Amino acid sequence: MDAVRNTKAIFKRELASYFESPVAYVFLVVFLVLVQFLTFFIGNYYEMNQADPRGFFFWHPWLFLILVPAASMRLWSEERRTGTIETLLTLPVSLFQALLGKFLAAWVFIGLAVLLTFPIVLATAYLGAPDKGVIVGGYLGSLLLAGTCLSVGMFTSALTRNQVISFVLSVVICLFLLLAGWPPITDMFVKWAPRLVELVASFSFMSHYFSMQRGVIDLRDLAYFASAMIFMLAATHQVIENRKAA
Amino acid sequence: MLEVKNLRKTFGAIRAVNDVSFNVERGEVLGFLGPNGAGKTNTMRMITGFLPPTSGTAIVNGFDIRTSPLDAKKQIGYLPENAPVYSEMTVFNYLRFIAEIRGFTGAARDARVGGTVEKCRLDGVRNQSIGTLSKGYRQRVCFAQALLHDPAVLIMDEPTDGLDPNQKRVVRDMIRDMAREKVIVLSTHILEEVDAVCSRAVIISHGRIAANASPDSLRRRSAMHGAVEILLDKPLPEAATLLRSLPSAASVQEEGGRFVVMAKDKDRLFHDVFALVKGGSWAIGGIRVLDGRLDDVFRDLTMNDNGTARPESAA
Ligand SMILES: Nc1ncnc2c1ncn2[C@@H]1O[C@H](COP(=O)(O)OP(=O)(O)OP(=O)(O)O)[C@@H](O)[C@H]1O
Ligand SMILES: [Mg+2]
């Protein structure tokens, strides 16, 4: 059971390392403040229905776009910059165990931020009578989306020893993957190249995210998020294997 | 036992390590020497499984680092160059993390960490975060990390770099103490260190092994080895001529009242010189046989004709 033990040890260390710097608290506060601000002020502005938690989940992708890369940018680039990757990968752990431990720690950390929003959802539940399925589906979709953005962020973090470059790259990639399936954007392009838009949109997070928002948990959506994460983790594995010392 | 077999590493056109092979037995301390850029760090990174070799492999205590990396890594304690450790962690938490990865749990883990903290004299800083430690202490934390699981094979890249003279001594004493039951490989730029702790030295230059021998036998290759030094209290004008005329002397260097007679025949030189100075009117202040210096041997083995030590290119 070395594999489980190693992954757990790395997971624990990574998760603790978030809380050993003020970054974790800044992150949690910023996420919670922004999500409320967007839901209640900007959301109101567009006259979204308060009792509908969809108005709340609507903003998650845009928050993740900035905050997830911020939480993931140091995962590998910092190891490379400081050289700790050499001590880490000469311990009897496989690269996969190290990757998984780091990924899960970051995911749990972001998941914590997401779950801390629960009072907001309770408030909307108090105001109206939202469908429980919508809430469960919303949170599940949100967590899966966060994990997918995170897998992109971890990938770009493995590409460079510079955290800023890692951050910018993952924002750009996530933005593309979000916008490619976002109705206002797809509607704009669909007139010119309907086939292409459809194809690109099928890679996007958004359609899957929105479909989970409706409270329908479709296996295809789960499979989409799972395969996106697995693909990005495999790509990260490859990148680190090839460029460890570079 | 550690067997390094035909290790090669190329980066594009640069041959960083070029066919390096050597064996180290239990009880030996191997000093890895070479100018900057010779390929020491790259070789160690390949042995410890951090860098995949372009070709060749290392067998660590019976486990091939390429085919069974995890088992091989369990045998190794590794202190990388510049002691990279997580700066945001405290010394104690860091060592506990290492202990967990090394397979210690519960009370055994705490005992390990406690023992290692004590052994590496880190008690005073155990709850300090590593980033706030001085360079020497960081080095010791990394040293502690390498020793924690009492590895059969200990590989250290410049272990005394950044330590004060007292700490250098402490580390060398520790290495000597551990030497009996371990395979130890360390790289260094300090040649006295080789004399102090190493039973064998491998000199590497441009990625190739230039010498693999005990410090004593390396010194024997020095031009100075076996030369006789004489100090004269009172000047003697004919001294140089007399010394040079000895059949076992190759040449004589004179500097003030100090003469160095280079040997043509190392076994006879001292006798001849001694017989000569005993007989005449020499006012001898001192006389001794020189050992030769590792510096000179190192320079001869690692310098190009143009005086540089660049890695060879594959072009
Ligand atoms: N990733 C890399 N890409 C290109 N060249 C590299 C890379 N890593 C190392 N080298 C080259 O390999 C050669 C050997 O480097 P290495 O670090 O092994 O030297 P060293 O003997 O440890 O030197 P030092 O005494 O300075 O620590 C150097 O010329 C170095 O520039
Ligand atoms: Mg080096």
Side-chain angles (χ1 to χ4, degrees):
Chain A
M1 287 285 80
D2 283 7
V4 174
R5 185 196 69 211
N6 291 343
T7 309
K8 200 175 120 196
I10 289 171
F11 169 83
K12 261 172 56 187
R13 195 205 79 75
E14 288 290 331
L15 192 59
S17 88
Y18 276 109
F19 292 95
E20 267 154 15
S21 74
V23 178
Y25 303 98
V26 172
F27 181 95
L28 291 176
V29 169
V30 167
F31 182 82
L32 292 174
V33 168
L34 278 183
V35 83
Q36 302 201 42
F37 173 76
L38 291 170
T39 309
F40 292 114
F41 290 86
I42 310 292
N44 248 352
Y45 180 72
Y46 286 114
E47 293 178 354
M48 291 286 245
N49 182 358
Q50 280 286 304
D52 186 348
R54 261 180 275 178
F56 159 74
F57 287 117
F58 173 82
W59 296 104
H60 285 201
W62 308 104
L63 282 173
F64 291 156
L65 179 63
I66 302 299
L67 290 175
V68 171
S72 65
M73 64 186 183
R74 49 174 274 290
L75 283 177
W76 289 102
S77 51
E78 185 72 359
E79 295 262 6
R80 280 251 289 269
R81 191 181 63 76
T82 59
T84 47
I85 188 170
E86 189 171 355
T87 0
L88 178 65
L89 296 182
T90 50
L91 289 169
V93 298
S94 70
L95 178 53
F96 177 72
Q97 292 157 9
L99 266 176
L100 193 63
K102 275 173 178 284
F103 177 75
L104 292 178
W107 201 6
V108 165
F109 174 66
I110 296 165
L112 184 69
V114 171
L115 294 181
L116 283 176
T117 59
F118 197 59
I120 303 175
V121 176
L122 281 184
T124 58
Y126 181 74
L127 293 172
D131 185 346
K132 281 206 192 63
V134 170
I135 293 181
V136 171
Y139 269 115
L140 189 62
S142 176
L143 290 174
L144 288 172
L145 180 67
T148 310
C149 290
L150 180 63
S151 66
V152 171
M154 188 152 89
F155 173 73
T156 64
S157 169
L159 287 177
T160 165
R161 59 178 64 201
N162 184 320
Q163 295 195 17
V164 177
I165 296 176
S166 156
F167 176 81
V168 172
L169 275 180
S170 75
V171 169
V172 168
I173 297 177
C174 288
L175 183 65
F176 173 78
L177 288 172
L178 286 181
L179 290 182
W182 197 43
I185 298 288
T186 47
D187 291 353
M188 225 159 68
F189 288 100
V190 80
K191 292 171 207 120
W192 295 313
R195 284 276 174 75
L196 187 66
V197 168
E198 207 175 307
L199 180 72
V200 174
S202 69
F203 282 107
S204 167
F205 306 148
M206 280 309 220
S207 54
H208 303 281
Y209 181 67
F210 283 133
S211 108
M212 297 196 78
Q213 298 296 290
R214 290 194 295 270
V216 193
I217 294 170
D218 187 329
L219 220 54
R220 273 171 304 180
D221 296 327
L222 296 181
Y224 166 81
F225 285 116
S227 49
M229 282 187 259
I230 290 169
F231 176 79
M232 290 316 294
L233 287 178
T236 311
H237 192 284
Q238 195 58 36
V239 166
I240 296 173
E241 195 62 59
N242 289 342
R243 319 191 40 210
K244 273 192 283 204
Chain B
M1 164 164 173
L2 173 68
E3 299 164 67
V4 175
K5 293 183 174 171
N6 306 95
L7 278 180
R8 275 173 215 272
K9 183 76 198 178
T10 56
F11 297 98
I14 300 172
R15 288 190 194 143
V17 177
N18 197 350
D19 201 18
V20 165
S21 306
F22 57 84
N23 289 349
V24 194
E25 300 285 343
R26 209 165 82 122
E28 273 191 298
V29 180
L30 183 92
F32 213 41
L33 308 175
N36 294 129
K40 303 180 293 297
T41 299
N42 275 304
T43 305
M44 290 187 161
R45 284 179 169 175
M46 288 190 280
I47 296 172
T48 54
F50 179 60
L51 264 190
T54 305
S55 69
T57 190
I59 316 286
V60 187
N61 232 4
F63 298 102
D64 188 319
I65 191 71
R66 299 192 77 174
T67 55
S68 33
L70 293 186
D71 285 321
K73 285 173 185 179
K74 282 182 188 163
Q75 311 296 319
I76 302 178
Y78 178 38
L79 169 65
E81 197 170 29
N82 302 323
V85 279
Y86 295 113
S87 55
E88 79 279 2
M89 296 179 92
T90 66
V91 172
F92 183 74
N93 284 344
Y94 178 65
L95 292 178
R96 204 159 59 165
F97 163 66
I98 297 292
E100 276 169 17
I101 294 236
R102 293 292 185 184
F104 300 101
T105 49
R109 177 194 65 192
D110 297 343
R112 270 284 149 174
V113 173
T116 309
V117 161
E118 201 172 307
K119 195 158 148 196
C120 298
R121 312 201 181 167
L122 292 165
D123 317 69
V125 297
R126 57 186 284 151
N127 293 318
Q128 201 170 328
S129 72
I130 294 173
T132 65
L133 295 176
S134 71
K135 180 176 163 154
Y137 270 94
R138 263 204 305 278
Q139 184 83 13
R140 273 149 76 180
V141 172
C142 202
F143 189 58
Q145 164 277 130
L147 291 186
L148 187 127
H149 58 301
D150 195 17
V153 177
L154 190 55
I155 299 195
M156 297 178 281
D157 204 348
E158 303 190 23
T160 57
D161 185 42
L163 298 182
D164 68 46
N166 300 338
Q167 282 308 315
K168 279 198 171 90
R169 273 255 317 255
V170 171
V171 168
R172 285 175 197 168
D173 288 346
M174 283 173 73
I175 293 172
R176 260 196 305 262
D177 284 346
M178 292 183 297
R180 247 165 299 130
E181 73 268 24
K182 288 191 199 313
V183 168
I184 300 182
V185 177
L186 60 92
S187 77
T188 179
H189 289 299
I190 308 168
L191 295 171
E192 303 92 76
E193 197 156 283
V194 178
D195 271 320
V197 297
C198 298
S199 55
R200 192 147 57 92
V202 164
I203 297 182
I204 177 169
S205 170
H206 310 308
R208 285 177 181 282
I209 291 187
N212 178 353
S214 72
D216 276 338
S217 72
L218 277 179
R219 241 192 309 271
R220 227 167 280 143
R221 299 187 194 181
S222 153
M224 283 292 175
H225 179 80
V228 175
E229 180 195 57
I230 303 161
L231 301 174
L232 286 188
D233 285 343
K234 253 183 269 157
L236 184 70
E238 67 273 27
T241 330
L242 285 171
L243 289 167
R244 205 170 288 126
S245 66
L246 292 171
S248 54
S251 62
V252 178
Q253 295 164 8
E254 181 182 357
E255 186 199 318
R258 177 174 177 270
F259 294 81
V260 175
V261 189
M262 307 296 273
K264 194 186 285 168
D265 179 347
K266 288 176 184 175
D267 299 329
R268 294 210 41 84
L269 182 66
F270 184 75
H271 282 284
D272 289 356
V273 171
F274 194 68
L276 173 71
V277 301
K278 209 167 49 177
S281 52
W282 300 66
I284 299 293
I287 177 165
R288 69 183 176 120
V289 182
L290 297 181
D291 257 351
R293 294 176 349 146
L294 278 180
D295 290 40
D296 300 329
V297 181
F298 181 81
R299 198 180 48 230
D300 291 347
L301 287 171
T302 58
M303 283 296 223
N304 280 344
D305 294 337
N306 59 10
T308 56
R310 290 295 310 151
E312 88 183 60
S313 126

